[in-house]
Amino acid sequence: MLIRRFFTVAFIAMLSSFVFAQSKSKPSDKFRQLEENLPTPNEQRTASGAPGSRYWQQRADYVIDVELDDQNQRIIGKETVTYKNQSPDTLNYIWLQIDQNIFAKDSLTQKTLTAPELKDVPLNRIEQLVARQYDGRVNITSVRDAKGNNLKNTTNETMMRIDLPTPLAPNGTFVFSVDWNYAINDQRAYGGRTGYEFFPQDGNYLYEIAQWFPRLAAYNDVSGWQHKQYLGSGEFTLEFGDYLVRITAPNDHVVASTGVLQNPAQVLTRTQIQRLKQAETVREPIKIITQAEATTNEASKPTGKKTWIFKGDNVRDFAFATSRKFIWDAQGHNVEGNKVMAMSYYPKEGNPLWEQYSTQAIIHTLNVYSRYSFTYPYPIAISVNGPVGGMEYPMICFNGPRPQPDGTYSAATKYGLISVVIHEVGHNYFPMIVNSDERQWTWMDEGLNTFLQYLAEAEWEKNYPSRRGEPQFIADYMLSENQVPIMTNSESVLQFGNNAYGKPATALNVLRETVMGRDLFDFAFKQYSQRWKFKRPMPADFFRTMEDASGVDLDWFWHGWFYTTDHVDISIENVRLFQIDTKNPDVEKELLRKQANERPRTLSQERNENLPKRIDQYPSLRDFYNDYDQYRVTDIERKDYQTFLGSLSEKERGFLSGNYYFYIVDLKNVGGLVMPLIFKVEYMDGTSEQIRVPAEIWRYNNFDVSKLIVTRKEAKAIVLDPNLETADADLVNNFFPRRTVPTRFQVFKTEQQNNLQPNLMQQQRRNSQTTPPR
Ligand SMILES: [Zn+2]
């Protein structure tokens, strides 16, 4: 660092020139307020982000009879829906979602599949490409009004319109019924958020049934009917209602479902009922059906059917799972005063992982999420193991991870299971209760949920291997080429996991830790959760509430992180050291002498050193200036200095002799996102200090700023973002002076080795098996 001495007056002038250094060639105002981009506030949605005085939403109550045909893997259903028009509008028709039509052979999704890399297609996919037998199209066999009259209806891909015989006025109610059936998809072959799994070893099926009945599409104040077709990514936009569902299955099946079981005496054994009662007060999960009992069930044959009756109130959807293979455990838990039964259902193939972790993870999720948002309001919370990797519905979710057949598992599988249970149970809050529009905005449920998942994981164990949430994990994605802003429709999102889960979760973490602080963030986030529980928020409602409740201007943050694909890369371009000129000639002249001596000699000067000099031959050529020492202090200079000191106050003399270091740090915004500056100043004496500067420092110039740091000790280095809290993508330019950041890279003999997840348990077991007995 080059040291410069300056007079205080000059110093002030210099500072102001930095403040007004706005470039005309790069006009940009990243702090421009967002109002002009957000929808105009109205009586439904206020400028503060809360539901307005005339907020409204529709309601649909369902009574459903459904039978699972285990012989043919079919669903046969009949529903009666009571639709309440709570909007101010008169409706001539209503729309229903027929999601299962996505599995029709000629569905919009099938027809718009882009070409696969044929060299990578496995053999079992070839059948689907050349001779697909399975057709999951829903057969609608009857649509009638309450009097039994047929209703005109039109199916358009995954949506069905029912034309109303008479217009449905505001506050009116329309009752109708639909009969339908369809062939369930083999989830392992056709994928999906629902489906069956066949177990060839014992010949049994396990069903996870969701999106299985015609559901009212949402009608709302923002999009009217939300009937954008279901293509597979954008999930569901739904209305709340009460459900009474009667599920008929083979009489040796066990059914897990949204809602509370209404007829335990008819479907459970006396022992199971006793164990459930006992589970209400246990400290750790107990078995309602043990593994031994489940294994016995696997070998049974049904002797008839049983009907399980469930009631789920104030839910936006309804799902269930059924199999004769289920092990079942349960633990009652009091969540902030609400009694909840946490339960897990899994085949023996899920053990030993599932009995150890699933129900514990459910309860942990309810505790943590309730603290940050609102008390879990439902009486049931279920996690089911089956073919679906991870999918959420009200009170019930489906989670995939299983150990190896020998019971061992990798760390990735273990933490994958705990994380997916936290995540899917967490979806009860977002979007099952804070009912955002999933078909439009994936980030509003996945992003917020992944953020809370990260907080819950931090409270599971020290150094939990969270995949998402830490700013440094998202930097590579934010640098990548093939990306779209977070504010992109669900079906058009590229790099889905990073865009809709990782980036928004990280953004919220950065807001909480770096921009707002935990107190302001947590209060505002809770406000949002409570304002919008059992209601339908839109992005602006979230943006506005977070700002309204915290008093922090966040428009620059929403704009940069949610509406652009800029990344974070701030560089320390230079650090300049200034010190006050003490005017003491003994100090200043000595310093000048030192600087002169340290100045490097040029090559010519060095080579000319030994050339004979004329004045050495003719000493008469020498005079006063040949021997004059320009750094020698004269008595007059000393006297002048004393006079100067005498004219100063004691305070002013203190500044002069205070030995202050003025560091001007020149910064460049390389990535585009403006962010707070976090400096770590490392001193010569081995100590260090952190200085935090809010992002508003960039408000006059979004690309280049300089920050003055005044210290009493000499600095050795200045480091930007020392705790990796801003997602800065290039760490090398965060150091002044520059440091080399070493990377260790792996070499592999073959390409596959790269992706192997080590199963340390299995390695350990093999080791102990090969050790000869002593
Ligand atoms: Zn999710």
Side-chain angles (χ1 to χ4, degrees), residues 392 423-424 427 445-446 449 501:
E392 69 279 8
H423 182 94
E424 307 306 345
H427 270 307
D445 62 299
E446 297 300 353
N449 183 38
Y501 296 62

Side-chain angles (χ1 to χ4, degrees), residues 20 41 275 336 363 380 382 400 426 433 437 468 498 517 538 548 592 595 597 612 653 664 669 673 704 708 728 732 738:
F20 296 107
R275 289 172 181 169
E336 300 179 351
I363 290 173
I380 301 286
I382 292 174
I433 294 168
D437 183 345
R468 293 177 171 132
N498 281 323
M538 294 291 165
D548 191 70
L592 289 175
Q595 285 176 351
N597 289 342
R653 281 197 292 273
I664 291 189
N669 178 2
L673 287 187
D704 302 283
L708 173 67
D728 197 311
V732 173
R738 291 285 185 265

Side-chain angles (χ1 to χ4, degrees), residues 62-70 73-79 100 180-185 187 192-197 205-215 236 243-250 253-261 306-312 315-324 326 343-346 380-388 391-399 432:
Y62 297 79
V63 175
I64 310 179
D65 288 282
V66 58
E67 180 170 350
L68 171 85
D69 176 354
D70 187 34
Q73 293 79 51
R74 292 188 73 82
I75 285 289
I76 302 115
K78 175 187 169 55
E79 68 179 5
Q100 195 69 17
W180 77 97
N181 63 76
Y182 66 82
I184 303 166
N185 54 304
Q187 204 280 343
R193 304 167 194 278
T194 175
Y196 69 76
E197 176 180 8
Y205 288 83
L206 189 160
Y207 300 88
E208 292 178 321
I209 302 297
Q211 304 139 244
W212 53 281
F213 58 99
R215 301 178 296 184
F236 319 110
Y243 285 71
L244 180 69
V245 180
R246 294 181 282 259
I247 302 165
T248 299
H253 265 218
V254 175
V255 178
S257 172
T258 301
V260 177
L261 181 62
K306 254 199 279 198
T307 298
W308 301 61
I309 305 174
F310 293 93
K311 202 170 173 313
V315 287
R316 79 202 273 275
D317 199 359
F318 195 100
F320 64 94
T322 176
S323 180
R324 64 176 60 83
F326 280 141
M343 303 190 281
S344 297
Y345 297 75
Y346 39 95
I380 301 286
I382 292 174
S383 161
V384 180
N385 178 235
V388 177
M391 188 58 205
E392 69 279 8
Y393 298 95
M395 304 186 217
I396 189 169
C397 56
F398 307 152
N399 301 300
M432 297 301 149

